[in-house]
Amino acid sequence: MSAPLTPPPPPHEHSPQGGWQSPSAGQVAAASADGSASADGSASADGSAPDAAAGPARHGDRAGYGWYEQDGPGMKTELREAAVTAVAVALGGVLLGVLWWWLAPRVPLVGDVTGDSWVVYLKDTEGEQAIGVDGTFVLLALAFGAVSALAVFLVRRRGSVPLVVALGVGGLLGSLLAWRLGVWLGPAQDVIAQARDVGKGVTFDAPLKLSAKGALLAWPFAGLVVHLGLTALFGPRDPDPYPPADPYVPQPPHGGFPKP
């Protein structure tokens, strides 16, 4: 009759002297020959604390059971980048204003004389040219918002709150600049003087006007939405706060090592 099988000892059993027997030094981390700190960052063999001049853990280094990662550039750098982004995006309003003035439909007007005064009225009262002026601005602004968001994302994939705010503020400033530039490039604002210059019953173009002021929000709205989508789809991912255990480093049992 064979002897019963003896169950394996628990991972940490009491020594005959009553103390708790910890894992061997070769299983955890071997100390250096001169008594320096062990690989897990604990105190050295002579009881001294680890060297503080070693500095914090580098990017991607494992310390204990977590990961240490640099949070990105400092606040001053982010604010400087945000200011440059806002100015660059706002300057794009110059191109938007030129395109709006060039592509927007013209609203025909006609001048007439009533008594001793001039009156100006629409030549086509059922025309939709005025709506087309606003629609052209909105479509162009949406396109500029998407392009500016793509450019900002490609330049700096790691987004930040100042960068997103700068994108929205720059888009709004660019819309204002485009609006005023388009009005300045368009026909003169004094329609009575234009009617007198061209003569009675002669058709002339109305001044370029943005009737729906809400169109100014098209650029920042499109920029923020597109940038958010690009960041969600292609932006960098945060590291796992609980990485898988290293198979070469023994892990403590549930609850940690008991005190001796």
Side-chain angles (χ1 to χ4, degrees):
M1 181 176 181
S2 60
L5 298 177
T6 304
H12 304 288
E13 59 183 2
H14 290 280
S15 62
Q17 291 79 11
W20 191 272
Q21 182 179 2
S22 61
S24 62
Q27 294 177 339
V28 182
S32 60
D34 56 354
S36 58
S38 61
D40 60 351
S42 60
S44 59
D46 57 357
S48 61
D51 187 7
R58 294 171 301 182
H59 174 71
D61 289 346
R62 174 173 294 187
Y65 304 102
W67 293 88
Y68 288 90
E69 181 185 8
Q70 187 178 2
D71 294 334
M75 182 57 64
K76 291 183 179 180
T77 303
E78 291 186 355
L79 292 178
R80 182 168 59 253
E81 292 179 352
V84 173
T85 301
V87 173
V89 173
L91 290 178
V94 176
L95 181 58
L96 175 59
V98 173
L99 291 176
W100 180 48
W101 163 72
W102 183 34
L103 299 175
R106 301 294 185 254
V107 180
L109 299 178
V110 175
D112 196 3
V113 179
T114 302
D116 295 335
S117 60
W118 281 81
V119 292
V120 177
Y121 55 90
L122 290 172
K123 181 179 181 180
D124 186 6
T125 57
E126 296 181 358
E128 298 180 354
Q129 292 86 352
I131 300 176
V133 172
D134 293 350
T136 302
F137 187 91
V138 171
L139 293 178
L140 290 173
L142 291 176
F144 271 71
V147 172
S148 61
L150 178 61
V152 171
F153 177 77
L154 292 178
V155 171
R156 186 156 187 262
R157 292 179 177 270
R158 188 183 182 90
S160 61
V161 174
L163 189 67
V164 174
V165 173
L167 182 61
V169 173
L172 182 58
L173 294 177
S175 296
L176 292 172
L177 179 60
W179 169 41
R180 300 312 305 171
L181 180 61
V183 171
W184 179 73
L185 292 176
Q189 299 294 315
D190 192 352
V191 294
I192 299 298
Q194 288 193 73
R196 290 175 179 175
D197 292 339
V198 299
K200 178 181 178 181
V202 180
T203 303
F204 62 95
D205 295 335
L208 199 60
K209 181 176 65 173
L210 189 63
S211 301
K213 298 302 186 292
L216 298 173
L217 301 177
W219 185 342
F221 176 77
L224 294 178
V225 170
V226 173
H227 188 272
L228 177 62
L230 292 175
T231 304
L233 294 176
F234 307 106
R237 299 292 186 268
D238 293 334
D240 187 4
Y242 302 101
D246 193 341
Y248 297 102
V249 178
Q251 304 298 321
H254 181 69
F257 292 109
K259 296 181 179 179

